[in-house]
């Protein structure tokens, strides 16, 4: 059986020391080992950004695509080989700005993949511009007077889009983050895990200390029931989205792949490509 | 007796004009005639004039006819809009319900037939189409019996009574028309066809069927005219093969999803038109640098922007070849007949895997939606080749090394493993990378990897890169085209030869990498070269000048008003060059 060390590779991340993304990398490696995967059974598909580099820092199959498109690539991979565990990962700009259309539709579609967003409320790779997750008043290179656009309430949006697994975590809490990723992988459908992953270089407001002060862990809310969508929504609104833990999970809903008609139960990638003569003749005769 | 004629039905969109043409042509196909059908339609769903022009012949035809023999009209607008196409001696068969009129002084005969009244008397006015089919068949002197089978196939589900009613409507239409005609128009009687079974299909049918035969088991696409039929066909057929179609949120998702699925080992396509292709460009570059196979169909239509969304054009050529930023290996093919579209799709998937690069199959609206008679497609010609896809066990990787997915090889093509394979782990990235896929900005590596990728195109093996009809060693004229203009060019050449000119024809089927070696001698041995294409800037002509030279003798015949070339237009324009 593989251990988390088997998911480490020889590549040294080019992240700044202290970047929140290191914990996400470690959590994915641990979660993969904990759920019993071998490295070759995992495919990590990532977008573009500091965070997007993550697929190159894990010893597994990895695909580092283009900005904002990790999700459609990941869904394509899963459709092609349902035996693979597929994790999509990227930044808040990647998933909630340029890739927002894909995020909402991946949620709706509910293909069985896990999506981890490293949310630092800023564009890291392009050296510090505002993101859809930046708070009002946040000063960046592109908002020198402070951002006037409200931050997207991403968890609420996911719930409204019909998400079947919604969780949020924080880079400092490796244990919880690992656990949530495991749960996300095990969930039969699309799982969204938003991780507050501080950018120590360009975000001097939403720092580790800031999060420690402002985040509420759902385990501290008595009787919180993640199967209740109403309560999930209310709790998010009450705490302005600053909660961590498993926010909502619908275990009843079948995944896209289990719902569509005719779809192969074995990996499509192993299918025979040759049409039989009978099938061919049948198709041809329809045009005669 | 005549060996070919041209028939058109017109009316308001959404009124069943389609089914009139459908039933009429299916019957003619069963009798063994060669057909070519082209629909005129607009972006509206209900209302607005629509028509379907069908050419019927005892030999292969692939172009719209210059003129019209029979016009079937369901409203006055159809007569007014199409009357100019009718030849001397042509006829109009119109529903008497709207008191049809034709311009005075023309040598065209109008027959008012109570389509609606006859149908209503038989039960429902919906069957007016059937009455029109019957009336048309009487003019051609067809045996009405041929419709029995067709009507049963279409209406069988609704019960025997519905079938019988519809047959009655056809018979009544034919009977009425026969009485009107008397012996007057012997000239419209069609020679008997050979009765051979052939396929009758639109280009998009062939593209979709070719994808299935070529091993495609997944498609991701976003609806658009004139590509949607490809996806709609595959949605019907793929589930039976375990496959699936996803209608994505946009074309960027469609293309990247297709890339993801191909990376993971399933032959996957996407199909769109110009607007969608514009959105896919960044993703196509990703497929290029990551050496991921992907097949993309571009059914060209009138651009730019939304342009003429339901009209013919061939103006995506340059964008398709050069649209992606940066430089990647890419194969662009352009079938010119429905038959070629089928085989080319099979080959597109083979080439995509063999050369590990995006393959774009260009079509155009006329090829995609025009309906052609096709000789039965051959099962034995279908071949699946997967290139350097690694099968079987791989040796253990030492020290967490990566598999050399981008190994530098002589032909530039590296071994390819699919995710899920033990010991095949490697990285894939759109960032420049080394042989194992790890990002690298080292100058020497950059050059090595760029050269490796582009080197792949030096060896592209394509069965027939140019369709040639070369009768003359030294020609007065060489005509060059691509995609659907083939039919019009072929007919024009027949007439130019009658005019005494020596004319050769080259239809480019492999657009990129350009088949310079094949085309060059033909250009050299011709006095003049005319490139016939549906765009305003002569894109193929420019490509030709770039690759072959001889700019001083290359002329363009262009059409970009949305309508396909007619044979006489090509004929006249070419002839003018010699006056
Ligand atoms: C189409 C396109 N537009 C712009 C860019 C430039 N770009 C790269 S990453 C990025 C944003 C990064 O922010 P985020 O997704 O939050 O990732 P982070 O670096 O913060 O982890 C941008 C705008 C690009 N690579 N591609
Ligand atoms: S810039 Fe910010 S997000 Fe990027 S690596 Fe540095 S700390 Fe991390
Ligand atoms: Mg960010």
């Amino acid at each position: 059986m593989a251990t988390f060390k088997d998911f480490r590779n020889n590549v040294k991340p080019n992240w700044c020391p202290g970047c929140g993304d290191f914990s996400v990398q470690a959590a994915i490696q641990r979660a993969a080992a904990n759920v019993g995967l071998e490295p070759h059974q995992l495919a990590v598909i990532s977008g573009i950004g500091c965070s997007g580099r993550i697929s190159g820092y894990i010893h597994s199959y990895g695909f580092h695509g283009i900005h904002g498109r990790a999700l459609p690539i990941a869904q394509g991979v899963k459709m092609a080989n349902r035996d693979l565990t597929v994790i999509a990962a990227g930044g808040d700009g990647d998933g909630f700005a340029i890739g927002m259309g894909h995020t909402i539709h991946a949620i709706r579609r509910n293909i069985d993949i896990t999506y981890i967003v490293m949310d630092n409320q800023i564009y890291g790779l392009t050296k510090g511009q505002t993101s859809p997750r930046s708070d009002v008043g946040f000063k960046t290179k592109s908002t020198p007077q402070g951002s006037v656009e409200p931050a997207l309430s991403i968890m609420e949006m996911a719930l409204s889009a019909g998400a079947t697994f919604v969780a949020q975590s924080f880079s400092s809490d490796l244990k919880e983050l690992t656990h949530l990723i495991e749960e996300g992988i095990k969930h039969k459908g699309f799982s969204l895990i938003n991780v507050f992953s501080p950018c120590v270089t360009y975000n001097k407001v939403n720092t580790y200390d800031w999060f420690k002060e402002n985040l509420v862990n759902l385990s501290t809310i008595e009787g919180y029931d993640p199967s209740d969508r109403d309560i999930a929504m209310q709790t998010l609104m009450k705490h302005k989205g600053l909660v961590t833990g498993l926010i909502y999970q619908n275990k009843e809903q079948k995944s896209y792949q289990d719902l569509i008609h005719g779809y192969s139960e074995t990996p499509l990638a192993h299918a025979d490509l040759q049409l039989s003569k009978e099938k061919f003749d049948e198709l041809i005769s329809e045009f005669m | 007796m005549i060996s070919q004629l041209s028939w058109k039905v017109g009316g308001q969109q959404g009124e069943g004009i389609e089914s009139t043409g459908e039933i009429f042509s299916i019957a003619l196909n069963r009798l063994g005639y060669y057909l070519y059908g082209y629909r005129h339609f607009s972006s509206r769903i209900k209302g607005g004039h629509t028509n379907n022009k069908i050419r019927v012949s005892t030999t292969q035809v692939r172009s719209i006819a210059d003129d019209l023999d029979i016009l079937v009209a369901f409203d006055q607008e159809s007569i007014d809009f199409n009357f100019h196409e009718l030849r001397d001696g042509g006829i109009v068969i119109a529903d008497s319900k709207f008191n049809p009129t034709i311009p005075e002084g023309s040598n065209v005969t109008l027959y008012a037939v109570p389509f609606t009244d006859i149908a209503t008397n038989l039960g429902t006015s919906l069957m007016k189409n059937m009455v029109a089919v019957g009336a048309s068949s009487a003019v051609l002197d067809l045996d009405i019996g041929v419709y029995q089978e067709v009507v049963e196939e279409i209406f069988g589900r609704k019960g025997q009574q519905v079938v019988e009613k519809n047959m009655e409507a056809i018979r009544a239409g034919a009977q009425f028309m026969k009485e009107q005609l008397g012996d007057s128009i012997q000239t419209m009687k069609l020679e008997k066809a050979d009765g051979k079974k052939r396929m009758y299909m639109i280009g998009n049918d062939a593209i979709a069927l070719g994808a299935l035969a070529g091993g495609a088991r997944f498609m991701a696409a976003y609806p658009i005219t004139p590509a949607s039929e490809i996806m709609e066909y595959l949605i019907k057929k793929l589930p039976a093969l375990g496959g699936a179609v996803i209608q994505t949120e946009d074309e960027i998702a469609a293309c990247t999803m297709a890339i993801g699925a191909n990376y993971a080992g399933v032959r996957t396509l996407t199909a769109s038109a110009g607007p969608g292709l514009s959105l896919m460009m960044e993703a196509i570059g990703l497929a290029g640098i990551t050496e991921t196979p992907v097949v993309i169909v571009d059914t060209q239509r009138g651009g730019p922007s939304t342009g003429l969304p339901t009209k013919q054009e061939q103006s995506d050529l340059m964008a398709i070849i050069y649209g992606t930023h940066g430089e990647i290996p890419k194969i662009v093919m352009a079938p010119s007949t429905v038959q070629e579209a089928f085989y080319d799709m099979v080959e597109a998937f083979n080439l995509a895997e063999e050369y590990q690069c995006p393959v774009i199959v260009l079509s155009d609206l006329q090829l995609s939606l025009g309906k052609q008679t096709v000789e039965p497609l051959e099962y034995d010609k279908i071949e699946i080749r997967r290139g350097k896809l690694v099968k079987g066990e791989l040796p253990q990787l030492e020290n967490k090394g990566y598999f050399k997915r981008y190994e530098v090889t002589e032909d530039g093509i590296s071994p390819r493993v699919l995710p899920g394979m033990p010991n095949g782990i490697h990285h894939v990235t759109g960032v420049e990378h080394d042989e194992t896929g790890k990002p690298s900005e080292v100058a020497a590596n950059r050059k090595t990897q760029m050269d490796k990728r582009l080197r792949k195109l030096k060896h592209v093996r394509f069965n027939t890169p140019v369709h040639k009809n070369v009768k003359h060693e030294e020609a007065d004229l060489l005509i060059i085209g691509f995609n659907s203009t083939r039919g019009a060019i072929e007919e024009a050449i027949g007439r130019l030869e009658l005019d005494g000119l020596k004319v050769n024809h080259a239809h480019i089927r492999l657009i990129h990498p350009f088949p310079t070696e094949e085309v060059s001698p033909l250009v050299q041995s011709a006095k003049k070269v005319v490139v016939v294409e549906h765009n305003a800037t002569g894109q193929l002509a420019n490509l030709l000048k770039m690759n072959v030279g001889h700019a001083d003798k290359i002329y363009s015949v262009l059409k970009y008003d949305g309508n396909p070339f007619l044979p006489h237009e090509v004929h006249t324009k070419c002839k003018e060059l010699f006056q």
Side-chain angles (χ1 to χ4, degrees), chain B residues 322-338:
Chain B
Y322 300 112
T324 321
H325 66 274
E327 296 158 307
I328 58 162
K330 184 196 273 177
I331 296 171
V332 183
M333 336 179 2
S336 58
T337 67
V338 167

Side-chain angles (χ1 to χ4, degrees), chain A residues 14-21 50-51 120 122 124-125 197-202:
Chain A
N14 60 1
W15 292 322
C16 310
C19 175
D21 296 351
C50 294
S51 46
N120 52 13
I122 190 110
L125 190 71
S197 176
C199 170
V200 293
T201 307
Y202 296 111

Side-chain angles (χ1 to χ4, degrees), chain A residues 91-93 118-124 131:
Chain A
D92 46 325
M118 284 152 269
D119 180 1
N120 52 13
Q121 289 128 301
I122 190 110
Y123 283 13
S131 119

Side-chain angles (χ1 to χ4, degrees), chain B residues 40 167 171 214 340 394 400 409 416 466 563:
Chain B
H40 166 101
M167 280 307 295
R171 264 181 246 121
E340 285 176 7
L394 290 168
K400 287 209 182 142
T409 58
R416 174 169 161 249
V466 183
N563 296 314

Side-chain angles (χ1 to χ4, degrees), chain A residues 1-2 7 32-33 35-44 58-62 77-78 81-87 185, chain B residues 263 418-425:
Chain A
M1 260 243 315
F7 289 90
V35 298
L37 290 174
E38 294 295 327
H40 68 268
Q41 297 170 323
L42 173 66
V44 180
I58 292 169
H59 188 69
S60 73
Y61 280 94
V77 172
K78 186 69 182 183
N81 189 341
R82 63 192 305 168
D83 283 358
L84 282 173
T85 294
V86 178
I87 292 179
I185 291 173
Chain B
Y263 155 70
L418 303 178
M421 268 185 96
N423 303 313
I425 286 180

Side-chain angles (χ1 to χ4, degrees), chain A residues 59-274:
Chain A
H59 188 69
S60 73
Y61 280 94
F63 196 119
H64 178 224
I66 43 177
H67 194 26
R69 322 298 169 196
L71 281 175
I73 297 173
Q75 293 170 86
V77 172
K78 186 69 182 183
M79 286 302 291
N81 189 341
R82 63 192 305 168
D83 283 358
L84 282 173
T85 294
V86 178
I87 292 179
D92 46 325
D94 200 69
F96 305 142
I98 192 167
M100 184 51 134
H102 308 311
T103 302
I104 293 201
H105 292 283
I107 290 172
R108 284 180 58 228
R109 203 170 282 131
N110 201 33
I111 291 177
D112 186 12
I113 61 174
T114 301
Y115 182 34
I116 301 169
V117 181
M118 284 152 269
D119 180 1
N120 52 13
Q121 289 128 301
I122 190 110
Y123 283 13
L125 190 71
T126 45
K127 299 188 165 45
Q129 299 85 8
T130 188
S131 119
R133 292 284 292 150
S134 302
D135 289 324
V136 170
F138 185 54
K139 288 189 177 168
T140 67
K141 282 185 185 154
S142 58
T143 53
Q145 307 297 319
S147 174
V148 295
E149 299 173 40
L152 257 172
S153 308
I154 205 68
M155 297 283 94
E156 281 130 281
M157 183 220 74
L159 285 179
S160 349
T164 56
F165 184 106
V166 182
Q168 196 157 251
S169 194
F170 175 35
S171 285
S172 289
D173 194 345
L174 184 59
K175 202 169 146 219
E176 184 198 53
L177 179 54
T178 305
H179 172 71
L180 287 172
I181 295 174
E182 285 170 37
E183 291 306 306
I185 291 173
K186 286 188 231 159
H187 177 71
K188 298 255 169 290
F190 185 81
S191 38
L192 171 64
I193 304 169
N194 190 55
V195 186
F196 293 113
S197 176
C199 170
V200 293
T201 307
Y202 296 111
N203 191 335
K204 305 292 186 191
V205 176
N206 310 102
T207 60
Y208 285 97
D209 286 343
W210 186 91
F211 282 112
K212 275 180 194 139
E213 234 161 77
N214 288 284
L215 287 177
V216 176
N217 194 286
L218 290 172
S219 64
T220 64
I221 301 177
E222 224 187 279
Y224 185 82
D225 176 5
S227 69
D228 189 326
R229 195 157 166 256
D230 285 355
I231 291 186
M233 196 61 117
Q234 284 166 25
T235 309
L236 283 168
M237 279 157 66
K238 184 172 165 201
H239 297 281
K240 298 196 169 62
L242 291 169
V243 300
T244 56
L246 176 58
I247 296 167
Y248 177 70
Q249 184 174 19
N250 177 346
K251 293 184 177 169
E252 315 299 304
Q253 181 60 36
K254 285 190 176 154
S255 76
Y256 179 88
Q257 290 170 296
D258 285 334
L259 282 174
I260 54 167
H261 157 73
Y263 178 64
S264 172
E265 285 177 17
T266 53
L268 211 43
H270 303 167
D272 184 6
L273 300 188
Q274 194 83 44

